[in-house]
Every structure is written in C-alpha cells, then in structure tokens.
Amino acid sequence: MSEQTLSNLMQENRRFEPPADLAANANVKEEAYARADADREAFWAAAAERLDWGRKWDQVLDWTNPPFAKWFVGGTLNASVNCVDRHVEAGNGDKVAIHWVGEPDDDARDITYAQLKDEVSRAANALTELGVRKGDRVAIYMPMIPEVVVAMLACARLGAPHTVVFGGFSADALASRITDCEAHVVITADGGYRRGAASALKPAVDEAVAKTGDLVRSVLVVRRTGQDVDWDDSRDVWWHDAVDSASAEHEPEMHDSEHPLYVMYTSGTTGKPKGILHTTGGYLTGTSYTHWSVFDLKDDDVYWCTADVGWVTGHSYMAYGPLANGATQVMYEGTPEKGRWWKIVQDYKVSIFYTAPTAIRTFMKQGREIPDGYDMSSLRLLGSVGEPINPEAYVWYREVIGGDRCPVVDTWWQTETGQIMISPLPGVTAGKPGSAMKALPGIAADVVDDDAKSVGNGNGGYLVLKEPWPAMLRTLWGDDQRFKDTYWSRWPGLYFAGDGAKLDEDGDIWLLGRVDDVMNVSGHRLSTTEIESALVSHPKVAEAAVVGAADETTGQAVCAFVILRDSAGDGGEDIVEELRRHVAKEIGAIAKPRQIMVVPELPKTRSGKIMRRLLKDVAEHREVGDVTTLADSTVMDLIKGKEGSAS
Ligand code: 6R9
C-alpha cells in the first residue's frame, strides 16, 4: 500500500498549488485578506457595489442590538431585478441562464436571461392575481425544473418570502412548514422524475393542505409529468393557465435591504425544525461575492451545482448567487446515476462543478472506468460542500474528475451563514486535501475551547464566528429567543456553529464534524470524521459512517458502518478484523471500532448528510427513530437486516 493511501486526516501533507494561469487571472488575489482586515465594513460595502440598488444605503452595518444585525441600512433593491432584469438591460438577454436537463433522456431546455425575465414577470403577475402581496409567505414544493427558480424569483420580486420545501419531504413535514410560516399559497407540480419514473408531488400537497385547516387559499400547479391528479376547483390553479396568459410586463418595487427574502427550515437538535430567515441586501451581497470569488467565475464559464433547490446550497449557489452574477449554469432534474453526470459535463462543457463528498464517494465506489469514458477537459475548477471531505475522496475528485489540473475548493458554510465562510481561494491558496483552509476575506472565524479562548495552532476545539457577515441569518422565523439560545448563548458575542474544528500548524482549519458527533471513548476525544477518514483510506472501503454508542466501560464505543467497494466483493472472511487493525494503525488503538458492520447503503438525507442518529439507534439496539427526512427510507431496513451478521 502506498504512503498516500495510508494517510489520514491529521497526517495529511499533500499540497496542491493553484494553477499558474488561474492564479495570474484570478478574480480575487491575496491582497483581499489584508484589505478586508483593515476595514471589514468598507470591504463588504465594495462587494455590495456588485448589485444594482434602488437607493444606496446610509450605513453598512448596524450591530447596535446584537445578535440582530442589519446590513446596508436604508438601502433598497429588488433581488429578482438583480438576478434577471439588469443582465437583460446590460445587453446579455440572449445569454443562457439555465441549461436545464430533465431526467428522461433528450428532455432538455435552454432558457436565456431574456426568457427568464419574461417568465418571472408573468409569474409575479399571476401570483398577484392570486392575492399574493408583499410580506405574504409562499410555500414551494417542486422538483428540479426551471419553474422552481421562476417561482422563487417571482416571490422575491413581489417581496413575498418563499419557503422551499424539499420535494422528498413528507406531507407532514410540508404541513408543519406551511403552518409555521402561515403560507396562504403553495406552488407545486403534478410530479417529477426520479430514478426513471414519474413520482407524484400533488397528493402530498393535498394531504398537507388538509392538515392545515383553511390556511391555504391557492395551490398553483406546474404540469411536469402529466400524471393524473385530484383537483379542487376552488383552490387549485394550473401554472400554464395562470402564468402563460399573464403579461410579461411587471414593474418591480424596490424593497428594503432588510426585507425578508426567504425562510429555509433546517433540522435542529429538538424535533421542531428551525425557520432560518434570510433578508435581501446582505444575503445577495454575500452570495454574489462568494460565488464570484470562490469559483473564480468568468463570463464564459458554464457552472453546475448539483444541489437540490430544497436545501440552502440550491438557494445560494444555484438560484441567487449565480443568477445575480449573470452566469450560465446547468440544472439537472435527476439524482446521480452512473455516467449521466459526466455526460452532462461533456455535452455542456461544464467548467465549474460543485457537489458533495457523498456523491464523490458514490462515484469512487463505482470505479473510475465510468468517468474515464467521458471528455471532461472543459472542467477547470471543482467544489465540495456539505460535510468534511476525506483526503482520499478529495484526491480522487481532483485526479479522476479534475484530470489533476483543477483546484478543489472545500467550502464550509451552513443554512444559517447563507454564504460560503471558509474555503480556499482558488487563485491564492495551496489546497490541502481534507482542509477547508481559511476564513474568506471579510469573515472572522476561530477555533476556541470551552472558555471561548483561541486554541492556537496545532489544537482542536469549537468553530466560532467572531464578526457579523452580510448573509447571516437574521433570526429564526417567529422565535427570536430560540435564535439567541441556539447560536449566541454559549459564549457572549460569538456565533457558535456547532462544528468541531482543528487548526493545523499553519493555522489552517480542518472541520471535524458536528460537535454532537464527537465521541468520548475512555476519556479520549475522538472525531467521527477522523475515524471515517481512516476507514475510507483502506482500499476495500467505499464509504464509512461512525457513531459513538453508549458503552458500560468506556463511556462511548466506536461503531462503524462501512460500504465496500464493488471491486472488493464481500471483502473476504476477515474483513472486519482487517479494518479494525487498519484504524488502529492509522489513528491508534483507542480509535479501533468495537463493532464494524458491512452494509449495502447508509442512511442519508437528500442533501447527502449521513443520519448518524439512526445508526446510533441500531448500534445501541434501539427502535430506529424518525426516518422521514431520509432520501430513501427503505435504507434502514437493509441495514437492520445486516445486524445479525455483525461482528
Ligand atoms: C451548506 C450546508 C451545515 C453543516 C455544517 C457542517 C457541515 C458543510 C462542510 C461541512 C465540513 C465542509 N458542512 N460544509 N463540514 N466541511 N465543507 O451544508 O448547509 O445543510 O445547513 O449544513 O454541514 O457540519 O455545520 P447545512
């Protein structure tokens, strides 16, 4: 086994310098860090100049009532004008905004900025007809079709905050979100395509609406699959009736910089989801600036973010950031299938590609022969988001997908932060596989101990943010107290992100997973990520998830769930012992899993996060808890079926 495959997180010493031509022509150079440090507010004010404002702000930041921030106070703007109209006015109306690719083969559409402007204006007029007024909330429950972007921008145009609920969520989840933000209008589709078949959405909306009393007045329905739907004439309206016949002229109003743009629900530690509130001026500034700087966006790039619009990455880096920047992007309806993504990269000459480590590991598992069959020479930059990327996946991504020529930007951020916070700058930073590197210019991050003291280089602790930033959440919808308690109460003046992190000897940041995923085994602090990374560095392992299960003697014990690579077959008789030894060698005997289960799948949310809570239930022999946010709820049955065969 080579030195490299043996590396684990903390011993990682490979470095990848920025390509010389990229560095020479980079949108953002090294000087940005010093400029931002010298005057953070002036730095963000300059970034806000990227946008078109109705009225300029009087004050960059009002932080007199922390943790409630106001950015670009007194300024007015319209998010949809910034994402659409201004590009048309600048003469770029014929530029493709969205290369949309449906899941069924040969189902594709290109939408230019001019067409998008007309469609958004029509939809805004149609929503107005349905009684939607500034400030009203609109729920959106849709597949990955262009109309979902149109719907979001139409809401933004009217100043009606949207709440997009991921199409894979249940009717219950939808109902609780509709209720929490009191939405009177829902936008949906008859269904969408998933794994080769039409999958219905409207029945879940009907069920959710029935659970919310008479709250919902109208349901606007896009016809996507053509499947039969139940219809309530008093409430349901076809998109093609209401929108297609509406005028393509719509005079946009300029909204206050702090006007609510959207609410995105994310799961908290308690059962009730948190409604993260984002507002207009700061959010658009933060997403537009970071999309331009982190991805080094150029006018002729073809950008593709594979995230579903139902989670925050789809909001910041598919909808608002790229469109505010006038980018051309790919939007794909389906889920990752063998070869299909790479064919899209080839066909559309994608140059910037942004995805999640879980997808990368899935492709690693299938073997490099599949991507090797496509011409991906158009790619010049790769991004990763959603969870720590283990060095093996990073290096595979770089070599196999990026042809060893594309920098990888590992971007750390959250629904709450709205924008990328920690990431290499591709023209400046030499990448270390597995590290998100540095806080971006204008962002103040640190790693602290229990007493909020900086841990210093070479040590681990909690990740915190020390200064407000433009796209930060403003509060939790209707619950200022929970906002304060969740993020700001642990240490005064510091935003607690909930992630563990380590500063290496150079002061670069390594994310170690949620602190609720940190285990304590016999008094030793062990990171789930570190052990997962060690397991995945074994050539037979494709993917691994580790949980700490209660143990009478050691407090917690390490329990691992692994998926083997296709090429490893069943792994052989002694696979469990082989892997335990491997972890001991990589990290130390203390990290040796008590139990390793070889499983066919891992339970994941649609955004690719492993639901360790459920694995913990299995490891501790409990009834498995709520599985409604799993992308595929049958996975737990597969895993439990394996339980008997565990070591
Ligand atoms: C954008 C998004 C946020 C949590 C975050 C952290 C994890 C995201 C990461 C990462 C390590 C990265 N996370 N990106 N961990 N490295 N590059 O994922 O938002 O769904 O709210 O999740 O995801 O644990 O706290 P969200």
Side-chain angles (χ1 to χ4, degrees):
M1 207 179 306
S2 74
E3 187 67 37
Q4 291 202 338
T5 44
L6 276 177
S7 67
N8 70 41
L9 261 189
M10 294 313 144
Q11 296 160 349
E12 180 56 51
N13 54 17
R14 284 168 284 188
R15 297 282 177 284
F16 298 102
E17 294 292 333
D21 54 336
L22 195 154
N25 300 305
N27 288 348
V28 181
K29 305 261 169 69
E30 175 108 49
E31 63 74 38
Y33 292 103
R35 187 158 45 86
D37 281 349
D39 190 339
R40 189 179 309 278
E41 289 185 21
F43 175 84
W44 286 118
E49 299 283 0
R50 303 175 54 76
L51 306 176
D52 280 4
W53 294 80
R55 179 182 184 280
K56 264 303 256 308
W57 55 91
D58 306 312
Q59 190 187 1
V60 177
L61 168 67
D62 177 356
W63 190 235
T64 52
N65 180 29
F68 301 97
K70 290 189 180 137
W71 280 87
F72 308 113
V73 185
T76 64
L77 75 169
N78 186 296
S80 87
V81 169
N82 273 283
C83 289
V84 185
D85 304 41
R86 66 170 178 151
H87 307 311
V88 178
E89 275 147 33
N92 293 322
D94 292 337
K95 184 171 178 181
V96 172
I98 299 175
H99 290 295
W100 177 77
V101 184
E103 200 199 61
D105 284 335
D106 303 324
D107 190 2
R109 271 201 270 163
D110 285 348
I111 297 140
T112 65
Y113 274 98
Q115 289 167 334
L116 190 58
K117 173 173 181 275
D118 288 353
E119 198 62 12
V120 169
S121 301
R122 284 196 185 95
N125 283 322
L127 288 173
T128 305
E129 263 311 285
L130 292 177
V132 175
R133 298 289 175 267
K134 180 170 179 169
D136 292 351
R137 277 80 61 202
V138 175
I140 298 179
Y141 184 70
M142 287 172 85
M144 286 285 281
I145 54 177
E147 286 81 357
V148 71
V149 176
V150 172
M152 290 162 76
L153 292 175
C155 289
R157 197 171 187 91
L158 298 175
H162 53 73
T163 187
V164 179
V165 180
F166 169 53
F169 279 172
S170 63
D172 276 348
L174 177 60
S176 74
R177 285 153 174 80
I178 291 173
T179 307
D180 192 70
C181 70
E182 295 170 272
H184 297 304
V185 173
V186 180
I187 309 178
T188 188
D190 49 0
Y193 287 94
R194 287 201 67 183
R195 302 202 170 103
S199 148
L201 282 174
K202 175 83 169 32
V205 175
D206 294 341
E207 201 185 321
V209 168
K211 285 180 200 262
T212 53
D214 52 10
L215 195 57
V216 175
R217 198 175 57 224
S218 309
V219 177
L220 186 57
V221 190
V222 176
R223 183 181 282 155
R224 163 66 187 133
T225 58
Q227 61 203 123
D228 282 341
V229 289
D230 287 343
W231 202 256
D232 176 346
D233 275 328
S234 70
R235 183 196 75 190
D236 299 342
V237 185
W238 282 112
W239 176 282
H240 55 260
D241 287 338
V243 176
D244 293 1
S245 61
S247 162
E249 297 298 318
H250 182 270
E251 192 55 47
E253 182 187 333
M254 294 294 139
H255 304 297
D256 190 272
S257 177
E258 282 298 336
H259 188 72
L261 182 61
Y262 70 83
V263 179
M264 165 113 264
Y265 287 87
T266 181
S267 46
T269 42
T270 64
K272 190 174 180 279
K274 300 178 287 196
I276 308 292
L277 175 67
H278 285 294
T279 60
T280 309
Y283 176 80
L284 216 55
T285 299
T287 53
S288 152
Y289 174 77
T290 50
H291 179 257
W292 173 78
S293 58
V294 172
F295 299 109
D296 191 46
L297 182 79
K298 301 289 198 269
D299 192 41
D300 57 356
D301 272 315
V302 178
Y303 166 86
W304 183 16
C305 166
T306 66
D308 191 278
V309 69
W311 69 303
V312 74
T313 305
H315 280 52
S316 297
Y317 298 104
M318 192 199 68
Y320 290 106
L323 294 175
N325 289 337
T328 292
Q329 68 177 320
V330 167
M331 176 179 185
Y332 175 52
E333 184 183 27
T335 45
E337 297 157 61
K338 293 189 180 173
R340 184 78 193 271
W341 278 16
W342 316 128
K343 182 165 181 348
I344 294 171
V345 169
Q346 172 180 286
D347 290 352
Y348 289 91
K349 300 202 168 15
V350 172
S351 56
I352 304 173
F353 183 71
Y354 191 30
T355 195
T358 179
I360 299 165
R361 288 193 299 264
T362 304
F363 293 124
M364 279 175 83
K365 175 171 175 280
Q366 295 165 356
R368 70 173 293 159
E369 308 74 61
I370 298 172
D372 280 350
Y374 297 90
D375 175 7
M376 295 198 278
S377 57
S378 55
L379 288 171
R380 66 178 197 92
L381 201 139
L382 305 173
S384 171
V385 61
E387 55 177 322
I389 181 165
N390 51 293
E392 298 315 314
Y394 179 111
V395 171
W396 189 92
Y397 191 29
R398 209 194 124 89
E399 285 178 4
V400 177
I401 305 303
D404 219 4
R405 94 193 151 259
C406 307
V408 175
V409 288
D410 175 15
T411 63
W412 179 89
W413 59 292
Q414 308 177 296
T415 306
E416 290 86 341
T417 69
Q419 64 180 81
I420 297 172
M421 304 294 280
I422 304 175
S423 167
L425 283 175
V428 178
T429 322
K432 299 178 185 175
S435 170
M437 303 302 291
K438 264 181 172 10
L440 288 177
I443 300 299
D446 199 2
V447 180
V448 301
D449 64 15
D450 285 316
D451 303 319
K453 280 214 296 289
S454 294
V455 294
N457 293 357
N459 297 304
Y462 306 103
L463 181 72
V464 295
L465 301 166
K466 299 196 295 189
E467 299 287 345
W469 62 98
M472 66 193 281
L473 76 166
R474 297 303 194 259
T475 189
L476 297 180
W477 184 257
D479 202 344
D480 287 349
Q481 191 57 46
R482 191 174 176 200
F483 169 59
K484 290 197 221 172
D485 292 347
T486 309
Y487 306 104
W488 303 93
S489 65
R490 190 143 171 175
W491 304 291
L494 295 180
Y495 171 88
F496 172 49
D499 279 37
K502 197 160 179 166
L503 294 176
D504 68 15
E505 295 301 339
D506 304 323
D508 292 322
I509 302 171
W510 298 70
L511 276 309
L512 298 177
R514 304 289 306 179
V515 285
D516 23 18
D517 293 340
V518 170
M519 295 168 293
N520 192 322
V521 179
S522 305
H524 296 266
R525 224 184 237 200
L526 291 175
S527 146
T528 52
T529 309
E530 199 173 349
I531 301 175
E532 286 165 5
S533 183
L535 283 165
V536 173
S537 75
H538 189 283
K540 287 186 185 163
V541 176
E543 229 182 313
V546 165
V547 296
D551 186 282
E552 270 191 352
T553 38
T554 57
Q556 279 187 313
V558 180
C559 290
F561 296 77
V562 300
I563 304 179
L564 298 179
R565 284 184 195 242
D566 290 353
S567 59
D570 68 359
E573 246 176 63
D574 301 326
I575 182 71
V576 167
E577 209 28 58
E578 188 178 332
L579 294 179
R580 293 182 76 231
R581 272 203 309 275
H582 179 70
V583 173
K585 183 141 149 263
E586 291 283 294
I587 302 174
I590 178 73
K592 220 169 159 175
R594 179 187 74 185
Q595 184 184 18
I596 295 181
M597 287 169 68
V598 176
V599 293
E601 294 280 355
L602 290 170
K604 284 177 198 155
T605 63
R606 180 66 196 272
S607 67
K609 292 194 176 35
I610 295 170
M611 293 191 71
R612 294 191 179 73
R613 170 170 68 75
L614 300 178
L615 294 175
K616 215 168 153 148
D617 290 341
V618 174
E620 297 182 342
H621 310 291
R622 259 196 313 275
E623 185 80 358
V624 172
D626 183 37
V627 295
T628 51
T629 56
L630 279 181
D632 178 356
S633 57
T634 59
V635 163
M636 286 317 292
D637 298 329
L638 291 174
I639 293 174
K640 281 185 299 177
K642 287 273 165 184
E643 206 179 352
S645 63
S647 90

